Amino acid sequence: MLTLTKTTRVFSKPSKRRVHEILRCLDSLGKCFLHRVVLGIETSCDDTAAAVVDDTGQVLGEAIHSQTEVHLKTGGIVPPVAQQLHRENIERIVQQALLASKISPTELSAIATTIKPGLALSLGVGLTFSVQLVNQFKKPFIPIHHMEAHALTIRLTNKVEFPFLVLLISGGHCLLALVRGVSDFLLLGKSLDIAPGDMLDKVARRLSLIKHPECSTMSGGKAIEFLAKRGNRLHFDLRPPMQRAKNCDFSFTGLQHITDKIIMQKEREEGIEKGQVLSSAADIAAAVQHTVACHIAKRTHRALLFCQQRDLLPRNNAILVVSGGVASNFYIRKALEIITNATQCTLLCPPPRLCTDNGVMIAWNGIERLRAGLGILHEVKDIRYEPKCPLGIDISKEVGEAAIKVPSLKMNI
Ligand code: KG4
Ligand code: ZN
């Protein structure tokens, strides 16, 4: 009799509110036990970003504060200014990402944060904040290499197996690497001087595109892409750099200096002062963008041929992934498509918002490392940030020694 009463009570119809509570509980139990959930924090350069991602690749919440507008006004990133802006925004951005995800910090499987490479003062803000969180909530910590995160982002958006070739082109980096595993990279080539995004930013500044009514809030690279659409690249004869060097390295400083000279000459011809927008700005933007695209495509073509010769990529359906801020440039993507078509490879790019710096890629890198059981720390006392940190094993010398001749392709973009 007693048992019957008890059973009746347990199975009596629960109230709507109770059902709602139970569902919510199950939902968050599901999120934190069935799926691993990682909070990712990114402050390596000029974006304060955070995101919560689960191991199915679902982005549960994300938030970002971009400093681009401030740095455009100062004509480049001033590290103490970037640091101050990170400090002012990090707590709010992390809170926003967590709130949107409906995950409380106690439910997280781990906290992942970019600790290398990047601007020392910027990296420091993210690391200090993360260490506090880790200690407060007693969570594992996963230190993240910024370029590794860019490289692995594609595995969140597409079903991509290892190995694949990756080209990372941004404001601070330029490299070609073979990705053999979550933290297993062979570096085939890198920029010997500045990165393409940095070069495009400098050209955009020299062209005073911030004064152009339609480009004033765009990053330099984006402004160049925007203006190039209405320019004629054939008005200027720019040649891609390093044509004789049969390796996969890059260089952009020479091209930047030649462009500076062209701008100076045009200012004289048009009779305008430095700081005003040239009438030929769109033509210059188109010529520079085309030359950068050809240079990047040629080095990438050689890297693909090297990997194919050495059987480093699958014979069928080899994949080239392009990421980093400059990868959001559709002209450069088209140039790379010509290369992948010629080599029977597939070109994959994350969507533009995941190409530039973001918190999602850091959280996803955390998930990848959790799954692989790599670099998960339970003690953060001795953790330090590293402003300079190469990616993987450098085999660029061997690539150069192979001296692969790359066939000329028509770059009709
Ligand atoms: O990856 P990212 O957000 O930051 C790092 O440098 O790590 O890349 C920012 C860079 C800037 O130099 C910006 O000018 C460039 O990416 N960029 C572009 C475009 N959008 C951003 N470059 C060319 N075309 C674009 N559409
Ligand atoms: Zn980046």
Side-chain angles (χ1 to χ4, degrees):
M1 202 49 193
L2 193 70
T3 321
L4 191 69
T5 323
K6 260 192 170 173
T7 315
T8 318
R9 207 178 290 149
V10 169
F11 287 107
S12 66
K13 197 172 173 225
S15 69
K16 253 190 179 167
R17 213 186 60 163
R18 184 86 186 118
V19 169
H20 190 71
E21 256 173 34
I22 292 168
L23 284 177
R24 227 192 45 197
C25 260
L26 284 174
D27 188 38
S28 68
L29 268 175
K31 273 178 191 150
C32 56
F33 289 120
L34 300 179
H35 297 304
R36 282 173 284 197
V37 184
V38 170
L39 165 67
I41 299 177
E42 157 65 33
T43 64
S44 69
C45 190
D46 59 345
D47 291 299
T48 317
V52 180
V53 176
D54 75 13
D55 60 4
T56 65
Q58 210 188 327
V59 179
L60 305 174
E62 64 180 306
I64 187 159
H65 174 265
S66 165
Q67 304 176 358
T68 305
E69 266 188 62
V70 176
H71 299 310
L72 274 174
K73 285 191 192 114
T74 49
I77 299 172
V78 181
V81 175
Q83 179 190 41
Q84 184 55 27
L85 290 170
H86 282 307
R87 279 190 183 140
E88 285 168 15
N89 291 289
I90 190 156
E91 190 168 352
R92 176 178 63 84
I93 289 299
V94 170
Q95 257 170 14
Q96 268 181 23
L98 280 167
L99 260 172
S101 74
K102 300 196 178 70
I103 293 278
S104 88
T106 53
E107 294 167 330
L108 292 168
S109 313
I111 295 168
T113 302
T114 309
I115 66 148
K116 60 193 174 183
L119 299 173
L121 295 179
S122 295
L123 287 167
V125 178
L127 181 57
T128 307
F129 185 83
S130 303
V131 165
Q132 274 168 13
L133 269 188
V134 161
N135 287 333
Q136 186 182 348
F137 294 100
K138 310 268 175 292
K139 293 291 165 185
F141 181 60
I142 308 179
I144 299 293
H145 189 298
H146 183 81
M147 305 314 285
E148 179 181 305
H150 271 306
L152 298 179
T153 306
I154 199 70
R155 282 164 51 84
L156 174 136
T157 56
N158 298 60
K159 207 178 156 355
V160 174
E161 302 293 337
F162 300 118
F164 58 89
L165 184 68
V166 73
L167 167 70
L168 297 178
I169 39 179
S170 71
H173 299 280
C174 178
L175 60 87
L176 271 163
L178 183 72
V179 189
R180 301 191 298 185
V182 172
S183 84
D184 182 3
F185 291 75
L186 290 184
L187 186 68
L188 305 179
K190 59 184 181 310
S191 176
L192 302 178
D193 38 60
I194 59 175
D198 190 10
M199 184 251 174
L200 294 172
D201 290 341
K202 286 185 166 119
V203 170
R205 266 205 302 281
R206 186 61 188 79
L207 283 169
S208 307
L209 297 189
I210 193 167
K211 293 201 181 135
H212 193 289
E214 289 165 289
C215 309
S216 60
T217 59
M218 292 179 188
S219 69
K222 198 164 180 193
I224 296 276
E225 180 176 23
F226 176 84
L227 264 197
K229 284 193 189 119
R230 53 176 86 148
N232 184 346
R233 67 178 172 84
L234 299 172
H235 285 182
F236 296 96
D237 183 26
L238 284 176
R239 299 276 159 86
M242 298 181 77
Q243 303 215 57
R244 291 219 186 102
K246 290 195 177 51
N247 54 31
C248 292
D249 289 333
F250 303 80
S251 167
F252 295 94
T253 300
L255 189 56
Q256 185 214 323
H257 289 153
I258 294 167
T259 310
D260 272 357
K261 278 196 190 140
I262 290 176
I263 296 171
M264 233 147 52
Q265 191 191 332
K266 276 283 148 192
E267 281 168 349
R268 274 199 300 272
E269 277 173 34
E270 291 187 20
I272 68 163
E273 297 278 314
K274 184 175 175 180
Q276 289 175 282
V277 183
L278 282 167
S279 68
S280 49
D283 295 338
I284 295 173
V288 168
Q289 179 178 252
H290 180 76
T291 315
V292 167
C294 289
H295 179 47
I296 290 174
K298 190 93 177 175
R299 317 318 276 183
T300 308
H301 195 171
R302 180 170 287 117
L304 279 170
L305 294 177
F306 177 84
C307 291
Q308 286 177 339
Q309 274 187 13
R310 307 268 165 126
D311 262 341
L312 296 171
L313 285 171
R315 275 169 192 258
N316 292 319
N317 201 23
I319 287 172
L320 167 67
V321 172
V322 187
S323 197
V326 180
S328 49
N329 182 299
F330 284 97
Y331 192 92
I332 294 173
R333 286 188 186 196
K334 282 257 173 64
L336 290 164
E337 223 167 71
I338 294 175
I339 302 307
T340 48
N341 287 342
T343 46
Q344 284 93 46
C345 296
T346 303
L347 174 68
L348 293 178
C349 307
R353 70 178 185 89
L354 294 180
C355 277
T356 47
D357 291 352
N358 62 83
V360 173
M361 68 179 192
I362 307 304
W364 175 247
N365 199 159
I367 292 281
E368 290 263 34
R369 280 183 165 267
L370 263 188
R371 279 195 198 145
L374 286 167
I376 305 150
L377 306 183
H378 296 277
E379 175 57 68
V380 287
K381 225 173 45 237
D382 299 324
I383 188 94
R384 301 277 178 272
Y385 57 80
E386 293 170 59
K388 284 202 169 26
C389 182
L391 182 73
I393 304 164
D394 189 346
I395 61 156
S396 55
K397 205 162 159 257
E398 197 182 321
V399 175
E401 280 160 9
I404 295 173
K405 201 165 173 329
V406 176
S408 292
L409 296 175
K410 283 252 169 308
M411 284 295 172
N412 292 329
I413 303 168

